Coordinates of all heavy atoms in Angstrom, one line a residue:
A1 N 0.8 -1.2 0.0 CA 0.0 0.0 0.0 C 0.9 1.2 0.0 O 1.9 1.2 0.6 CB -0.9 0.0 1.2
V2 N 0.4 2.3 -0.7 CA 1.2 3.5 -0.8 C 0.3 4.7 -0.5 O -0.8 4.7 -0.9 CB 1.8 3.6 -2.2 CG1 2.5 4.9 -2.4 CG2 2.7 2.5 -2.6
V3 N 0.9 5.6 0.3 CA 0.2 6.8 0.5 C 0.9 7.9 -0.3 O 2.1 8.0 -0.3 CB 0.1 7.2 2.0 CG1 1.4 7.4 2.6 CG2 -0.9 8.4 2.2
S4 N 0.1 8.8 -0.9 CA 0.7 9.9 -1.7 C 0.3 11.2 -1.1 O -0.9 11.4 -0.9 CB 0.2 9.7 -3.1 OG 0.7 10.9 -3.9
T5 N 1.3 12.1 -0.9 CA 1.0 13.4 -0.5 C 1.7 14.4 -1.5 O 2.7 14.1 -1.9 CB 1.5 13.7 0.9 OG1 2.9 13.5 1.0 CG2 0.8 12.8 1.9
Q6 N 1.0 15.5 -1.7 CA 1.6 16.5 -2.6 C 2.8 17.2 -1.9 O 2.6 17.7 -0.8 CB 0.6 17.5 -3.1 CG -0.4 16.9 -4.1 CD 0.3 16.4 -5.3 OE1 0.3 15.3 -5.6 NE2 0.9 17.3 -6.1
S7 N 3.9 17.3 -2.5 CA 5.0 18.0 -1.9 C 5.0 19.4 -2.4 O 4.4 19.7 -3.4 CB 6.3 17.3 -2.2 OG 6.6 17.4 -3.6
T8 N 5.7 20.3 -1.8 CA 5.7 21.7 -2.2 C 6.5 21.8 -3.5 O 6.3 22.8 -4.2 CB 6.4 22.6 -1.1 OG1 7.7 22.1 -0.8 CG2 5.5 22.6 0.1
G9 N 7.3 20.8 -3.9 CA 8.0 20.9 -5.2 C 7.2 20.5 -6.4 O 7.7 20.5 -7.5
G10 N 5.9 20.2 -6.2 CA 5.0 19.9 -7.3 C 4.9 18.4 -7.6 O 4.0 18.0 -8.2
G11 N 5.8 17.6 -7.0 CA 5.7 16.1 -7.3 C 5.0 15.5 -6.1 O 4.5 16.1 -5.2
S12 N 4.9 14.2 -6.1 CA 4.3 13.4 -5.0 C 5.4 12.7 -4.3 O 6.5 12.4 -4.8 CB 3.3 12.4 -5.6 OG 2.2 13.1 -6.1
Q13 N 5.1 12.4 -3.0 CA 6.0 11.6 -2.2 C 5.2 10.3 -2.0 O 4.0 10.3 -1.6 CB 6.3 12.3 -0.9 CG 7.0 13.6 -1.0 CD 7.2 14.2 0.3 OE1 7.2 13.6 1.3 NE2 7.5 15.5 0.3
Y14 N 5.9 9.2 -2.2 CA 5.2 7.9 -2.0 C 5.8 7.1 -0.8 O 7.0 7.2 -0.6 CB 5.4 7.0 -3.3 CG 4.6 7.7 -4.4 CD1 5.3 8.5 -5.4 CD2 3.3 7.5 -4.6 CE1 4.6 9.0 -6.4 CE2 2.6 8.0 -5.6 CZ 3.3 8.8 -6.5 OH 2.6 9.4 -7.6
W15 N 4.9 6.5 -0.1 CA 5.3 5.8 1.2 C 4.7 4.4 1.1 O 3.6 4.2 0.6 CB 4.8 6.6 2.4 CG 5.2 8.0 2.4 CD1 4.7 9.0 1.7 CD2 6.4 8.5 3.0 NE1 5.4 10.2 2.0 CE2 6.4 9.9 2.8 CE3 7.4 7.9 3.8 CZ2 7.5 10.7 3.3 CZ3 8.4 8.7 4.3 CH2 8.4 10.1 4.0
Q16 N 5.4 3.5 1.7 CA 4.9 2.1 1.8 C 4.7 1.7 3.3 O 5.6 1.9 4.1 CB 5.8 1.1 1.1 CG 5.3 -0.3 1.2 CD 6.2 -1.2 0.4 OE1 7.2 -0.8 -0.3 NE2 5.8 -2.5 0.4
F17 N 3.6 1.1 3.5 CA 3.3 0.5 4.9 C 3.8 -0.9 4.9 O 3.4 -1.7 4.1 CB 1.8 0.6 5.2 CG 1.5 0.0 6.6 CD1 1.8 0.8 7.7 CD2 0.9 -1.2 6.7 CE1 1.6 0.3 9.0 CE2 0.6 -1.7 8.0 CZ 0.9 -0.9 9.1
D18 N 4.7 -1.2 5.8 CA 5.3 -2.5 6.0 C 4.4 -3.3 7.0 O 4.4 -2.9 8.2 CB 6.7 -2.4 6.5 CG 7.4 -3.7 6.5 OD1 6.8 -4.7 7.0 OD2 8.6 -3.8 6.2
R19 N 3.7 -4.3 6.5 CA 2.8 -5.0 7.4 C 3.5 -5.9 8.4 O 2.8 -6.3 9.3 CB 1.9 -5.9 6.5 CG 0.9 -5.1 5.7 CD 0.0 -5.9 4.8 NE -0.8 -5.1 3.9 CZ -1.9 -5.4 3.5 NH1 -2.5 -6.6 3.8 NH2 -2.6 -4.6 2.7
K20 N 4.7 -6.1 8.3 CA 5.5 -7.0 9.2 C 5.9 -6.1 10.4 O 5.9 -6.5 11.6 CB 6.6 -7.7 8.6 CG 6.2 -8.7 7.6 CD 7.4 -9.4 7.0 CE 6.9 -10.4 5.9 NZ 8.0 -11.0 5.2
T21 N 6.5 -4.9 10.1 CA 7.0 -4.1 11.2 C 6.1 -2.9 11.5 O 6.4 -2.2 12.5 CB 8.4 -3.5 10.7 OG1 8.2 -2.7 9.6 CG2 9.4 -4.6 10.4
Y22 N 5.1 -2.7 10.8 CA 4.1 -1.6 11.0 C 4.8 -0.2 10.8 O 4.4 0.8 11.4 CB 3.4 -1.7 12.4 CG 2.6 -2.9 12.5 CD1 3.1 -4.0 13.2 CD2 1.4 -3.0 11.9 CE1 2.4 -5.2 13.3 CE2 0.7 -4.2 12.0 CZ 1.2 -5.3 12.7 OH 0.5 -6.4 12.8
E23 N 5.8 -0.2 10.0 CA 6.5 1.1 9.7 C 6.0 1.7 8.4 O 5.5 0.9 7.5 CB 8.0 0.8 9.5 CG 8.7 0.4 10.8 CD 10.1 -0.1 10.5 OE1 10.4 -0.8 9.5 OE2 11.0 0.2 11.3
I24 N 6.1 3.0 8.3 CA 5.7 3.7 7.0 C 7.1 4.1 6.4 O 7.8 4.9 7.0 CB 4.8 4.9 7.2 CG1 3.5 4.4 7.8 CG2 4.6 5.6 5.9 CD1 2.5 5.5 8.2
K25 N 7.4 3.4 5.3 CA 8.8 3.6 4.7 C 8.7 4.5 3.5 O 7.7 4.4 2.7 CB 9.3 2.3 4.3 CG 9.5 1.3 5.5 CD 10.1 0.0 5.1 CE 10.4 -0.8 6.3 NZ 11.1 -2.1 6.0
Q26 N 9.7 5.3 3.3 CA 9.8 6.1 2.1 C 10.1 5.2 0.9 O 11.0 4.4 1.0 CB 10.9 7.1 2.3 CG 11.0 8.1 1.1 CD 12.1 9.1 1.3 OE1 13.2 8.8 1.9 NE2 11.9 10.3 0.9
S27 N 9.2 5.2 -0.1 CA 9.3 4.2 -1.2 C 10.6 4.4 -2.1 O 10.9 3.5 -2.9 CB 8.1 4.3 -2.0 OG 7.0 3.8 -1.3
Q28 N 11.2 5.5 -1.9 CA 12.4 5.7 -2.8 C 13.5 4.7 -2.5 O 14.2 4.2 -3.4 CB 12.9 7.1 -2.6 CG 14.1 7.5 -3.6 CD 14.5 8.9 -3.4 OE1 14.1 9.6 -2.5 NE2 15.4 9.4 -4.3
N29 N 13.7 4.4 -1.3 CA 14.8 3.5 -0.9 C 14.5 2.5 0.2 O 15.3 1.6 0.5 CB 16.1 4.2 -0.6 CG 15.8 5.3 0.5 OD1 15.0 5.1 1.3 ND2 16.6 6.4 0.5
F30 N 13.4 2.7 0.9 CA 12.9 1.8 1.9 C 13.8 1.7 3.2 O 13.7 0.8 4.0 CB 12.6 0.4 1.4 CG 11.6 0.3 0.3 CD1 12.0 0.0 -1.0 CD2 10.3 0.6 0.5 CE1 11.1 0.0 -2.0 CE2 9.4 0.6 -0.5 CZ 9.8 0.3 -1.8
I31 N 14.8 2.6 3.3 CA 15.6 2.6 4.5 C 15.2 3.7 5.5 O 15.7 3.7 6.6 CB 17.1 2.7 4.2 CG1 17.4 4.0 3.5 CG2 17.5 1.4 3.4 CD1 18.9 4.2 3.3
F32 N 14.4 4.6 5.1 CA 13.9 5.7 6.0 C 12.5 5.5 6.3 O 11.6 5.2 5.4 CB 14.2 7.1 5.3 CG 15.6 7.4 5.1 CD1 16.2 7.4 3.9 CD2 16.4 7.6 6.2 CE1 17.5 7.7 3.7 CE2 17.8 7.9 6.1 CZ 18.3 7.9 4.8
C33 N 12.1 5.7 7.6 CA 10.8 5.6 8.1 C 10.3 6.8 8.7 O 11.1 7.6 9.3 CB 10.7 4.5 9.1 SG 10.9 2.8 8.4
L34 N 8.9 7.0 8.7 CA 8.3 8.1 9.5 C 8.5 7.8 10.9 O 8.2 6.7 11.4 CB 6.8 8.2 9.2 CG 6.4 8.9 7.9 CD1 4.9 9.0 7.8 CD2 7.0 10.2 7.7
D35 N 9.0 8.8 11.7 CA 9.4 8.6 13.0 C 8.8 9.7 13.9 O 9.0 10.9 13.6 CB 11.0 8.8 13.1 CG 11.6 8.2 14.4 OD1 10.9 8.3 15.4 OD2 12.7 7.8 14.3
A36 N 7.9 9.4 14.8 CA 7.2 10.3 15.7 C 8.2 10.6 16.9 O 8.2 9.9 17.9 CB 5.9 9.8 16.2
V37 N 9.0 11.7 16.7 CA 10.1 11.9 17.7 C 9.6 12.7 18.9 O 10.2 12.7 19.9 CB 11.2 12.7 17.0 CG1 11.9 11.9 16.0 CG2 10.8 14.0 16.4
S38 N 8.4 13.3 18.8 CA 7.8 14.0 20.0 C 6.3 14.0 19.8 O 5.8 13.5 18.7 CB 8.4 15.4 20.2 OG 7.9 16.2 19.1
S39 N 5.6 14.6 20.7 CA 4.1 14.7 20.6 C 3.6 15.5 19.4 O 2.4 15.5 19.1 CB 3.5 15.1 21.9 OG 3.9 16.5 22.1
D40 N 4.5 16.3 18.7 CA 4.0 17.1 17.6 C 5.0 17.1 16.4 O 4.7 17.8 15.5 CB 3.7 18.5 18.0 CG 5.0 19.3 18.5 OD1 6.0 18.6 18.7 OD2 4.9 20.5 18.6
Q41 N 6.0 16.3 16.5 CA 7.1 16.4 15.4 C 7.3 15.0 14.8 O 7.4 14.0 15.4 CB 8.4 16.8 16.1 CG 9.5 17.1 15.0 CD 10.8 17.5 15.7 OE1 10.9 17.6 16.9 NE2 11.7 17.8 14.8
I42 N 7.3 15.0 13.4 CA 7.6 13.9 12.6 C 9.0 14.1 11.9 O 9.2 15.2 11.5 CB 6.6 13.7 11.5 CG1 5.2 13.5 12.1 CG2 6.9 12.6 10.5 CD1 5.0 12.1 12.7
Q43 N 9.8 13.1 11.8 CA 11.0 13.2 11.0 C 11.2 11.9 10.3 O 10.6 10.9 10.6 CB 12.2 13.6 11.8 CG 12.7 12.5 12.7 CD 13.9 13.0 13.6 OE1 14.1 14.1 13.7 NE2 14.6 12.0 14.1
L44 N 12.1 11.9 9.3 CA 12.6 10.6 8.7 C 13.7 10.1 9.5 O 14.7 10.8 9.9 CB 13.0 10.8 7.3 CG 12.0 10.9 6.2 CD1 12.6 11.2 4.9 CD2 11.1 9.7 6.2
G45 N 13.7 8.8 9.9 CA 14.8 8.2 10.6 C 15.1 6.9 10.0 O 14.3 6.3 9.2
G46 N 16.3 6.4 10.2 CA 16.6 5.0 9.7 C 15.7 4.0 10.3 O 15.4 4.0 11.5
C47 N 15.1 3.2 9.5 CA 14.1 2.1 9.9 C 14.8 1.2 10.9 O 15.9 0.7 10.6 CB 13.6 1.4 8.7 SG 12.7 2.4 7.6
H48 N 14.2 0.9 12.0 CA 14.8 0.0 13.0 C 14.0 -1.3 13.3 O 14.4 -2.2 13.8 CB 15.1 0.7 14.3 CG 14.0 1.4 15.0 ND1 12.8 0.8 15.4 CD2 13.9 2.7 15.3 CE1 12.0 1.7 15.9 NE2 12.6 2.9 15.8
G49 N 12.7 -1.3 12.8 CA 11.9 -2.5 12.9 C 11.4 -2.9 14.3 O 11.0 -4.0 14.5
H50 N 11.5 -1.9 15.3 CA 11.1 -2.2 16.6 C 9.8 -1.6 17.1 O 9.5 -1.5 18.3 CB 12.3 -1.8 17.6 CG 13.5 -2.6 17.3 ND1 13.7 -3.9 17.5 CD2 14.7 -2.1 16.9 CE1 14.9 -4.3 17.2 NE2 15.6 -3.2 16.8
G51 N 9.1 -1.0 16.1 CA 7.8 -0.3 16.5 C 8.1 1.0 17.2 O 8.9 1.8 16.9
G52 N 7.3 1.1 18.3 CA 7.5 2.3 19.1 C 7.2 3.6 18.3 O 6.2 3.7 17.7
N53 N 8.2 4.5 18.3 CA 8.1 5.8 17.6 C 8.0 5.6 16.1 O 7.6 6.5 15.4 CB 9.2 6.7 18.0 CG 10.6 6.1 17.7 OD1 10.8 4.9 17.8 ND2 11.5 7.0 17.3
Q54 N 8.3 4.4 15.5 CA 8.2 4.2 14.1 C 7.0 3.2 13.8 O 6.8 2.9 12.6 CB 9.5 3.6 13.5 CG 10.6 4.7 13.5 CD 11.8 4.2 12.8 OE1 11.9 3.0 12.4 NE2 12.8 5.0 12.7
G55 N 6.2 2.9 14.8 CA 5.1 2.0 14.5 C 3.8 2.8 14.3 O 3.6 3.8 14.9
W56 N 3.0 2.3 13.3 CA 1.8 3.0 12.9 C 0.7 2.0 12.7 O 0.9 0.9 12.4 CB 2.0 3.8 11.7 CG 3.2 4.8 11.8 CD1 4.5 4.5 11.5 CD2 3.1 6.1 12.2 NE1 5.2 5.7 11.8 CE2 4.4 6.6 12.2 CE3 2.1 7.0 12.6 CZ2 4.7 8.0 12.6 CZ3 2.4 8.3 13.0 CH2 3.7 8.7 13.0
K57 N -0.6 2.5 12.9 CA -1.7 1.7 12.5 C -2.8 2.6 11.9 O -2.9 3.7 12.3 CB -2.3 0.9 13.7 CG -2.9 1.7 14.8 CD -3.4 0.8 15.9 CE -4.0 1.7 17.0 NZ -4.6 0.9 18.0
M58 N -3.5 2.0 11.0 CA -4.6 2.8 10.3 C -5.9 2.4 10.9 O -6.2 1.2 11.0 CB -4.6 2.6 8.8 CG -5.5 3.5 8.1 SD -5.2 3.5 6.3 CE -6.0 5.0 5.8
T59 N -6.7 3.3 11.3 CA -8.0 3.0 11.8 C -9.0 2.8 10.7 O -8.8 3.2 9.5 CB -8.5 4.2 12.7 OG1 -8.8 5.3 11.9 CG2 -7.5 4.5 13.8
K60 N -10.2 2.3 11.0 CA -11.3 2.1 10.1 C -11.8 3.4 9.5 O -12.3 3.5 8.4 CB -12.4 1.4 10.7 CG -12.1 -0.1 11.0 CD -13.2 -0.8 11.6 CE -12.8 -2.2 12.0 NZ -13.9 -3.0 12.6
T61 N -11.5 4.5 10.2 CA -12.0 5.8 9.7 C -10.9 6.6 8.9 O -11.1 7.7 8.5 CB -12.5 6.7 10.9 OG1 -11.4 6.9 11.8 CG2 -13.7 6.1 11.6
G62 N -9.8 5.9 8.6 CA -8.7 6.5 7.8 C -7.7 7.3 8.5 O -6.8 7.9 7.9
E63 N -7.7 7.3 9.9 CA -6.6 7.9 10.6 C -5.4 7.0 10.7 O -5.5 5.8 10.7 CB -7.1 8.3 12.0 CG -8.2 9.2 12.1 CD -8.9 9.3 13.4 OE1 -9.1 8.3 14.0 OE2 -9.3 10.4 13.8
I64 N -4.2 7.6 10.7 CA -3.0 6.8 10.9 C -2.4 7.2 12.3 O -2.1 8.4 12.5 CB -1.9 7.1 9.8 CG1 -2.5 6.7 8.5 CG2 -0.6 6.4 10.1 CD1 -1.6 7.0 7.3
K65 N -2.5 6.2 13.2 CA -2.1 6.5 14.6 C -0.7 6.0 14.9 O -0.3 4.9 14.5 CB -3.0 5.8 15.6 CG -4.4 6.4 15.8 CD -5.1 5.7 16.9 CE -6.2 6.6 17.4 NZ -6.8 6.0 18.6
S66 N 0.1 6.8 15.7 CA 1.4 6.4 16.1 C 1.3 5.4 17.3 O 0.6 5.7 18.2 CB 2.2 7.7 16.6 OG 3.3 7.3 17.3
S67 N 2.0 4.3 17.2 CA 2.1 3.4 18.3 C 2.8 3.9 19.5 O 2.5 3.6 20.6 CB 2.8 2.1 17.8 OG 2.1 1.5 16.8
G68 N 3.7 4.9 19.2 CA 4.5 5.5 20.3 C 3.7 6.5 21.1 O 3.7 6.5 22.3
T69 N 3.0 7.4 20.4 CA 2.3 8.5 21.1 C 0.8 8.3 21.2 O 0.1 8.9 22.0 CB 2.5 9.8 20.4 OG1 1.9 9.8 19.1 CG2 4.0 10.1 20.2
G70 N 0.2 7.4 20.3 CA -1.3 7.3 20.3 C -2.0 8.4 19.6 O -3.2 8.4 19.5
E71 N -1.2 9.3 19.1 CA -1.8 10.5 18.3 C -1.8 10.2 16.8 O -1.3 9.2 16.4 CB -1.0 11.7 18.6 CG -1.1 12.2 20.1 CD -0.3 13.4 20.4 OE1 0.9 13.5 20.1 OE2 -0.9 14.3 21.0
C72 N -2.4 11.1 16.1 CA -2.7 10.8 14.7 C -1.7 11.6 13.8 O -1.3 12.7 14.1 CB -4.1 11.2 14.3 SG -5.3 10.0 14.9
L73 N -1.4 11.0 12.6 CA -0.7 11.7 11.6 C -1.6 12.8 11.0 O -2.7 12.6 10.7 CB -0.2 10.8 10.5 CG 0.7 11.3 9.5 CD1 2.1 11.7 10.1 CD2 1.0 10.2 8.4
D74 N -1.1 14.0 11.0 CA -1.8 15.2 10.6 C -1.0 16.0 9.6 O 0.2 15.7 9.5 CB -2.1 16.1 11.9 CG -3.2 17.1 11.7 OD1 -3.5 17.5 10.6 OD2 -3.8 17.4 12.7
H75 N -1.6 16.9 8.9 CA -0.9 17.7 8.0 C -1.5 19.1 7.8 O -2.7 19.2 8.1 CB -0.7 17.1 6.6 CG -2.0 17.0 5.8 ND1 -2.4 18.0 5.0 CD2 -3.0 16.1 5.8 CE1 -3.6 17.6 4.4 NE2 -4.0 16.5 5.0
D76 N -0.7 20.1 7.5 CA -1.3 21.4 7.1 C -0.8 21.5 5.6 O -0.5 20.6 5.0 CB -0.8 22.5 8.0 CG 0.7 22.6 8.1 OD1 1.4 22.2 7.2 OD2 1.2 23.1 9.1
S77 N -0.8 22.7 5.1 CA -0.5 22.9 3.7 C 1.0 22.6 3.4 O 1.4 22.4 2.3 CB -0.9 24.3 3.2 OG -0.1 25.2 4.0
T78 N 1.8 22.5 4.4 CA 3.3 22.3 4.2 C 3.9 21.1 4.9 O 4.8 20.5 4.3 CB 4.0 23.6 4.7 OG1 3.4 24.7 4.1 CG2 5.5 23.6 4.3
F79 N 3.5 20.8 6.1 CA 4.2 19.8 6.9 C 3.3 18.7 7.4 O 2.1 18.9 7.7 CB 4.8 20.5 8.2 CG 5.8 21.6 7.8 CD1 5.5 22.9 7.9 CD2 7.1 21.2 7.5 CE1 6.4 23.9 7.6 CE2 8.0 22.2 7.1 CZ 7.7 23.5 7.2
L80 N 3.9 17.5 7.6 CA 3.3 16.5 8.4 C 3.6 16.7 9.9 O 4.7 17.2 10.2 CB 4.0 15.1 8.0 CG 3.6 14.5 6.6 CD1 4.4 13.2 6.4 CD2 2.1 14.3 6.6
K81 N 2.7 16.3 10.7 CA 2.9 16.4 12.2 C 2.1 15.4 12.9 O 1.3 14.7 12.3 CB 2.5 17.8 12.6 CG 1.1 18.2 12.4 CD 0.8 19.6 12.7 CE -0.7 20.0 12.4 NZ -1.0 21.4 12.8
I82 N 2.3 15.3 14.2 CA 1.5 14.4 15.0 C 0.6 15.3 15.9 O 1.1 16.4 16.4 CB 2.4 13.6 16.0 CG1 3.1 12.5 15.2 CG2 1.6 13.0 17.1 CD1 2.2 11.4 14.7
A83 N -0.7 15.0 16.0 CA -1.6 15.8 16.8 C -2.6 14.9 17.4 O -2.9 13.8 17.0 CB -2.3 16.8 15.9
P84 N -3.3 15.3 18.5 CA -4.3 14.5 19.1 C -5.4 14.2 18.0 O -5.7 15.1 17.2 CB -4.9 15.4 20.2 CG -3.8 16.3 20.6 CD -3.0 16.5 19.3
C85 N -5.9 13.0 18.0 CA -6.8 12.5 17.0 C -8.2 13.3 17.3 O -8.6 13.4 18.4 CB -7.1 11.0 17.1 SG -5.6 10.1 16.8
N86 N -8.7 13.9 16.2 CA -9.9 14.7 16.3 C -10.9 14.5 15.1 O -11.9 15.1 15.1 CB -9.6 16.2 16.4 CG -8.8 16.7 15.2 OD1 -8.9 16.2 14.1 ND2 -8.1 17.8 15.4
G87 N -10.6 13.6 14.2 CA -11.5 13.3 13.1 C -11.5 14.3 12.0 O -12.3 14.2 11.1
S88 N -10.6 15.2 12.0 CA -10.6 16.3 11.0 C -10.1 15.7 9.7 O -9.4 14.7 9.6 CB -9.7 17.5 11.4 OG -8.3 17.1 11.3
P89 N -10.5 16.4 8.6 CA -10.0 16.0 7.2 C -8.5 15.9 7.1 O -8.0 15.2 6.3 CB -10.6 17.0 6.3 CG -11.8 17.6 7.0 CD -11.4 17.5 8.5
N90 N -7.8 16.8 7.9 CA -6.3 16.8 7.8 C -5.7 15.5 8.4 O -4.5 15.3 8.4 CB -5.8 18.0 8.6 CG -6.0 19.3 7.8 OD1 -6.4 19.3 6.7 ND2 -5.6 20.4 8.5
Q91 N -6.6 14.7 9.1 CA -6.1 13.4 9.7 C -6.6 12.2 8.9 O -6.5 11.1 9.4 CB -6.5 13.4 11.1 CG -5.7 14.4 11.9 CD -6.1 14.4 13.4 OE1 -6.9 13.6 13.9 NE2 -5.3 15.2 14.2
R92 N -7.2 12.4 7.8 CA -7.8 11.3 7.0 C -6.8 11.0 5.9 O -6.4 11.8 5.2 CB -9.2 11.7 6.4 CG -10.2 12.1 7.4 CD -10.7 10.9 8.2 NE -11.7 11.5 9.2 CZ -12.5 10.7 9.8 NH1 -12.5 9.4 9.6 NH2 -13.3 11.2 10.7
W93 N -6.5 9.7 5.7 CA -5.6 9.2 4.7 C -6.2 8.1 3.9 O -7.0 7.4 4.4 CB -4.3 8.8 5.4 CG -3.7 9.9 6.2 CD1 -3.9 10.2 7.5 CD2 -2.7 10.8 5.8 NE1 -3.2 11.3 7.9 CE2 -2.5 11.7 6.9 CE3 -2.1 11.1 4.6 CZ2 -1.6 12.8 6.8 CZ3 -1.2 12.1 4.5 CH2 -1.0 13.0 5.6
Q94 N -5.7 8.0 2.7 CA -6.2 6.9 1.8 C -5.0 6.2 1.3 O -4.1 6.8 0.8 CB -7.0 7.5 0.7 CG -7.6 6.5 -0.2 CD -8.6 7.1 -1.2 OE1 -8.9 8.3 -1.1 NE2 -8.9 6.3 -2.2
W95 N -5.1 4.9 1.4 CA -4.0 4.0 0.9 C -4.4 3.5 -0.5 O -5.6 3.3 -0.8 CB -3.8 2.8 1.8 CG -3.2 3.2 3.1 CD1 -3.9 3.4 4.3 CD2 -1.9 3.4 3.5 NE1 -3.1 3.8 5.3 CE2 -1.8 3.7 4.8 CE3 -0.7 3.3 2.7 CZ2 -0.6 4.0 5.5 CZ3 0.5 3.6 3.4 CH2 0.5 3.9 4.8
G96 N -3.4 3.3 -1.3 CA -3.7 2.8 -2.7 C -2.5 2.1 -3.2 O -1.5 1.9 -2.5
F97 N -2.6 1.5 -4.4 CA -1.5 0.8 -4.9 C -0.9 1.5 -6.2 O -1.7 2.1 -6.9 CB -2.0 -0.6 -5.3 CG -2.3 -1.5 -4.2 CD1 -3.6 -1.5 -3.7 CD2 -1.3 -2.2 -3.5 CE1 -4.0 -2.3 -2.6 CE2 -1.7 -3.0 -2.4 CZ -3.0 -3.0 -2.0
V98 N 0.4 1.4 -6.3 CA 1.0 2.0 -7.5 C 1.6 0.8 -8.3 O 2.3 0.0 -7.8 CB 2.1 3.0 -7.1 CG1 2.9 3.5 -8.3 CG2 1.5 4.1 -6.3
F99 N 1.3 0.8 -9.6 CA 1.8 -0.3 -10.4 C 2.8 0.4 -11.4 O 2.5 1.4 -12.0 CB 0.7 -0.9 -11.2 CG -0.3 -1.6 -10.3 CD1 -1.5 -1.0 -9.9 CD2 0.0 -2.9 -9.8 CE1 -2.4 -1.6 -9.1 CE2 -0.9 -3.5 -9.0 CZ -2.1 -2.9 -8.6
M100 N 3.9 -0.3 -11.6 CA 4.9 0.2 -12.5 C 5.1 -0.8 -13.7 O 5.0 -2.0 -13.4 CB 6.3 0.4 -11.8 CG 6.2 1.4 -10.7 SD 7.8 1.5 -9.8 CE 8.7 2.5 -11.0
Q101 N 5.2 -0.3 -14.9 CA 5.4 -1.2 -16.0 C 6.7 -0.8 -16.7 O 7.1 0.4 -16.7 CB 4.3 -1.0 -17.0 CG 2.9 -1.4 -16.4 CD 1.8 -1.2 -17.5 OE1 2.0 -0.7 -18.5 NE2 0.6 -1.6 -17.1
P102 N 7.4 -1.7 -17.4 CA 8.6 -1.4 -18.1 C 8.2 -0.5 -19.3 O 7.1 -0.6 -19.9 CB 9.1 -2.7 -18.6 CG 8.2 -3.8 -18.2 CD 7.1 -3.2 -17.4
K103 N 9.1 0.4 -19.6 CA 8.8 1.3 -20.8 C 9.1 0.6 -22.1 O 10.1 -0.1 -22.2 CB 9.7 2.5 -20.6 CG 9.5 3.5 -21.7 CD 10.5 4.7 -21.5 CE 10.4 5.6 -22.7 NZ 11.4 6.7 -22.7
D104 N 8.2 0.7 -23.0 CA 8.4 0.2 -24.4 C 9.5 1.0 -25.1 O 9.4 2.3 -25.1 CB 7.2 0.2 -25.2 CG 6.2 -1.0 -24.8 OD1 6.7 -2.0 -24.3 OD2 5.0 -0.8 -25.0
D105 N 10.4 0.4 -25.8 CA 11.4 1.2 -26.5 C 11.0 1.4 -27.9 O 11.8 1.9 -28.7 CB 12.8 0.4 -26.5 CG 13.4 0.4 -25.2 OD1 13.2 1.3 -24.4 OD2 14.1 -0.6 -24.9
D106 N 9.8 1.1 -28.3 CA 9.3 1.3 -29.7 C 9.1 2.7 -30.0 O 8.7 3.6 -29.4 CB 7.9 0.6 -29.9 CG 8.1 -0.9 -29.7 OD1 9.2 -1.5 -30.0 OD2 7.1 -1.6 -29.3

């Protein structure tokens, strides 16, 4: 599963949820994970596979909750952050699949 968010550079950022470790990994190289370093701050950190601040779960209502803080992944127009879960649209996420195909040289 991949979550896509619009970046300020005009492109998308793609993330993969690892069902074994419950980490959200940056799809570019899979070595960096979303890390809830405090009650309101998210950063990329080296994936460690031990849950806690890098563990996440998605609720039935589309919220992504931190296993470490119990708070929800939130965003404003520029940044991702952690905030108390409140059901707002800024805390609703949708997972999807991205398929890649080889380019035809024709």
